[in-house]
């Protein structure tokens, strides 16, 4: 299991390889095995010829076969809450969803509490949830970790564009994925819902999550941004006359259901038929 950056000795402890008797080779630090730890990972920008410029898909209109009788655990922030609501409606009583979300809570464990002072101690609570629910799949949303957070006493609030903050985030994401993938459970991660402007924190977040899905066999990337927006960063407020968003940045009730269908289809239909 990856624990972070490990120290290794480069060369012989005797120093003879350097040509200086008794000299000790310099101690070097091996790069972390955690994706995006050494350098930022950004979501790839689509080539102009392949950009999607029309109306985005807006989730799925119907639930496809495969989700009947399944159990889903949802953890994370308010977007996780929206997803859990949509999944419950999409299931229509044919499956079970456990909503373990907490509003305005991330996984970076900042020094000063965020607006919600009752965020779960996820490293202790999520293993218990996994044992309680024994889910067929887990959905994790970490949208709140896009926000500025104070990670050092007396330090300023920073986003994951800060090198130290990014390392804290990916190290905790690695821990979270390992907890949630117990017993081989597949874990689905939301990309950022914010506009994917080149160089933005949203592009960095989505790039990190996409890279995790490439490096960990049980992790799957859900490109929620491109369900709601196109490659021109156009995010319609209405599709087919129906509101996409509610009173804030979150989903309307219609969008929650369409995204619930899309999430369950991604978990239990598309993955099986791919």
């Amino acid at each position: 299991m990856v624990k972070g950056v490990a120290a290794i000795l480069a060369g012989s402890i005797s120093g003879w390889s350097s040509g200086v008797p008794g000299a000790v080779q310099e101690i070097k630090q091996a790069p972390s095995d955690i994706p995006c730890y050494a350098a930022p990972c950004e979501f790839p920008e689509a080539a102009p010829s392949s950009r999607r410029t029309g109306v985005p898909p807006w989730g799925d209109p119907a639930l496809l076969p495969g989700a009947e009788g399944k159990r889903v655990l949802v953890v994370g922030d308010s977007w996780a809450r929206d997803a859990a609501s949509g999944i419950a409606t999409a299931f229509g009583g044919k499956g079970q969803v456990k909503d373990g979300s907490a509003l305005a809570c991330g996984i970076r464990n900042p020094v000063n509490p965020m607006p919600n002072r009752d965020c779960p101690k996820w490293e202790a609570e999520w293993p218990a949830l996994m044992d309680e629910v024994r889910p067929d799949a887990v959905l994790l949303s970490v949208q709140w970790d896009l926000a500025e957070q104070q990670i050092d006493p007396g330090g300023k609030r920073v986003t994951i564009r800060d090198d130290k903050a990014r390392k804290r985030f990916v190290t905790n994401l690695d821990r979270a994925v390992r907890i949630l993938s117990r017993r081989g459970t597949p874990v689905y991660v939301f990309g950022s819902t914010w506009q994917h402007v080149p160089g933005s924190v949203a592009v960095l977040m989505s790039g990190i999550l996409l890279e995790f899905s490439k490096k960990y066999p049980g992790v799957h990337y859900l490109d929620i941004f491109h369900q709601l927006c196109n490659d021109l960063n156009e995010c319609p407020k209405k599709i087919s006359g129906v509101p996409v968003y509610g009173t804030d940045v979150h989903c309307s009730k219609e969008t929650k259901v369409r995204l619930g269908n899309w999430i369950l289809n991604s978990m239990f239909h598309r993955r099986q038929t791919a």
Side-chain angles (χ1 to χ4, degrees):
M1 180 180 296
V2 177
K3 292 294 186 182
V5 181
I8 60 172
L9 285 174
S12 168
I13 192 70
S14 67
W16 286 103
S17 59
S18 67
V20 181
V24 178
Q25 290 281 17
E26 178 185 0
I27 296 177
K28 296 182 179 180
Q29 286 191 324
S32 172
D33 292 333
I34 300 174
C36 311
Y37 187 93
C41 297
E42 296 196 351
F43 193 83
E45 188 175 1
S49 59
S50 62
R51 284 178 184 162
R52 290 166 281 187
T53 59
V55 178
W58 192 34
D60 285 337
L63 185 62
L64 300 173
E68 299 85 356
K70 301 297 186 182
R71 296 186 303 274
V72 176
L73 172 62
V74 180
V75 293
D77 46 37
S78 54
W79 275 89
R81 173 202 60 184
D82 285 359
S85 173
I87 289 171
T89 304
F91 262 142
K94 297 180 180 178
Q96 301 175 33
V97 58
K98 171 68 174 181
D99 183 2
S101 65
L103 307 189
C105 294
I107 61 170
R108 271 200 281 162
N109 300 333
V111 173
N112 288 337
M114 300 305 282
N116 185 349
R117 294 178 178 271
D118 296 315
C119 290
K121 294 180 172 56
W122 58 268
E123 289 173 278
E125 294 183 23
W126 289 358
L129 270 177
M130 289 296 292
D131 289 336
E132 173 194 338
V133 180
R134 299 184 72 85
D136 296 292
V138 178
L139 176 66
L140 168 64
S141 174
V142 289
Q143 301 295 323
W144 192 257
D145 284 296
L146 286 162
E148 293 182 341
Q149 298 178 25
Q150 184 181 353
I151 62 172
D152 287 324
K156 64 179 182 179
R157 292 175 180 265
V158 292
T159 70
I160 55 172
R161 296 179 70 180
D162 174 85
D163 188 60
K164 186 174 181 179
R166 186 191 75 256
K167 291 180 178 181
R168 166 85 66 90
F169 172 68
V170 296
T171 298
N172 284 359
L173 181 60
D174 177 80
R175 291 172 182 157
V177 164
R178 291 174 185 276
I179 289 170
L180 299 173
S181 61
R182 293 176 62 184
R183 295 183 290 270
T185 307
V187 177
Y188 291 77
V189 292
F190 267 171
S192 173
T193 60
W194 290 11
Q195 291 187 323
H196 280 42
V197 178
S200 66
V201 68
V203 169
L204 176 57
M205 169 72 79
S206 290
I208 289 171
L209 294 169
L210 178 62
E211 192 65 19
F212 264 71
S213 74
K214 294 177 180 178
K215 294 291 180 69
Y216 294 73
V219 177
H220 307 274
Y221 180 79
L222 290 175
D223 189 0
I224 189 173
F225 173 76
H226 281 110
Q227 292 297 315
L228 303 173
C229 310
N230 63 23
D231 281 316
L232 301 180
N233 279 308
E234 296 170 338
C235 310
K237 293 183 178 180
K238 288 187 176 182
I239 296 178
S240 300
V242 179
V244 176
Y245 302 96
T247 56
D248 53 15
V249 298
H250 289 285
C251 305
S252 67
K253 61 181 182 180
E254 294 86 358
T255 299
K256 290 176 186 177
V257 178
R258 292 186 67 100
L259 290 178
N261 288 332
W262 170 68
I263 293 164
L264 289 174
N265 290 341
S266 300
M267 288 176 168
F268 303 118
H269 182 84
R270 294 191 181 98
R271 192 162 63 91
Q272 294 174 0
T273 58

